[in-house]
Amino acid sequence: MPDTATLTHDRAMAAAGLKAAVRILECWGTSGEQGEAILRVSHSTYARARRGALAEIKLDRDQLTRISYLLNIHAALGILFDNPENRYGFMAMANHNPYFNGRSPLSLISGGDIAALYETFKRIDALRGAQW
């Protein structure tokens, strides 16, 4: 069984990840409702993360996985694009590649389906040369 220090550390790391994910979503131009659906968190939790008012939080495995996908999408976009317009605008741009079929990556993940988030991550990560 984890000790109190480990639980506190894990909850602090979860809060840091959530705050980072919310900042990324804001840079991508998402609404609060979209961000809540993508991360599968409550309105109050999202609002507290947006304000940076989370010191610790307990998140489930699904929520942590969603945060991980977002952070990795952001990292891949940072590798692909030097300019902020593309780095932060790519997710809202229409994409005519297979899977997206003219839709923006953001429109696909905004429904809150973790499979869409995974597929979006996989395809963006592949653009930087990742092998699947």
Side-chain angles (χ1 to χ4, degrees):
M1 177 175 286
D3 62 16
T4 304
T6 301
L7 288 175
T8 299
H9 174 71
D10 290 351
R11 289 178 177 179
M13 294 297 289
L18 179 59
K19 288 187 281 190
V22 167
R23 283 193 303 274
I24 291 166
L25 288 168
E26 287 180 338
C27 289
W28 291 349
T30 62
S31 68
E33 292 79 20
Q34 288 174 310
E36 292 159 17
I38 293 166
L39 295 172
R40 201 183 55 77
V41 296
S42 69
H43 178 73
S44 62
T45 296
Y46 193 85
R48 286 186 301 142
R50 181 181 259 166
R51 290 191 311 269
L54 289 173
E56 294 180 14
I57 190 168
K58 182 179 178 186
L59 298 173
D60 64 31
R61 182 178 302 261
D62 177 76
Q63 292 164 319
L64 293 170
T65 300
R66 290 166 184 270
I67 290 169
S68 176
Y69 286 144
L70 278 175
L71 296 177
N72 281 291
I73 289 169
H74 176 68
L77 291 172
I79 292 167
L80 290 168
F81 302 115
D82 290 334
N83 61 337
E85 294 82 20
N86 285 341
R87 183 178 304 142
Y88 296 110
F90 179 89
M91 291 296 288
M93 294 177 189
N95 189 319
H96 297 284
N97 291 305
Y99 182 72
F100 298 106
N101 299 319
R103 299 169 295 184
S104 71
L106 193 55
S107 71
L108 288 174
I109 67 172
S110 291
D113 181 15
I114 195 164
L117 186 57
Y118 166 73
E119 290 297 329
T120 299
F121 158 69
K122 184 170 80 168
R123 282 158 173 79
I124 291 171
D125 199 42
L127 293 174
R128 68 169 190 85
Q131 299 296 313
W132 284 93

